[in-house]
Amino acid sequence: MTTVILNWTRDPLTFRFAIDEDIRSSEYGVIQRGLIQVLRSIPNLQFNYKTASFEIALADRTIPLIVNALSYGGYTVLHKGDIPAEIEQANRPN
């Protein structure tokens, strides 16, 4: 399973993605194209070409939708950087 790293930026609800370093360079482009197709299919998620990052237009349940879509696509998700509160709250024990 390929690990996708969502690098959350200082801008709220904005991230760039990276792919686990264990991927061979010959497979990287194919995986990246598939990953971009998955991300572009998610409502309320827009790619900003100027900053080369994805921006969440409406925060309501979009982050769990991203994680579920990537999981369904066969990716493991790892979060890094300024993680949005929506993720941190979901990961806290009750």
Side-chain angles (χ1 to χ4, degrees):
M1 191 173 272
T2 302
T3 300
V4 175
I5 303 162
L6 301 183
N7 292 304
W8 295 94
T9 68
R10 292 184 182 180
D11 295 330
L13 304 177
T14 301
F15 67 90
R16 292 182 180 89
F17 74 85
I19 301 171
D20 189 5
E21 296 173 1
D22 291 339
I23 302 300
R24 293 184 306 191
S25 59
S26 61
E27 297 176 3
Y28 191 90
V30 173
I31 293 171
Q32 186 178 30
R33 282 189 295 276
L35 180 58
I36 289 172
Q37 286 180 340
V38 170
L39 291 172
R40 293 190 77 196
S41 70
I42 298 171
N44 299 324
L45 187 62
Q46 301 168 347
F47 185 72
N48 183 326
Y49 289 94
K50 185 177 180 181
T51 61
S53 61
F54 284 91
E55 298 174 350
I56 297 172
L58 299 171
D60 185 36
R61 305 275 310 143
T62 300
I63 295 171
L65 184 61
I66 293 169
V67 173
N68 289 339
L70 291 172
S71 296
Y72 186 75
Y75 301 98
T76 301
V77 179
L78 178 65
H79 300 279
K80 289 189 175 180
D82 294 329
I83 299 170
E86 185 178 345
I87 296 171
E88 290 181 345
Q89 290 171 355
N91 293 332
R92 287 187 187 142
N94 293 337

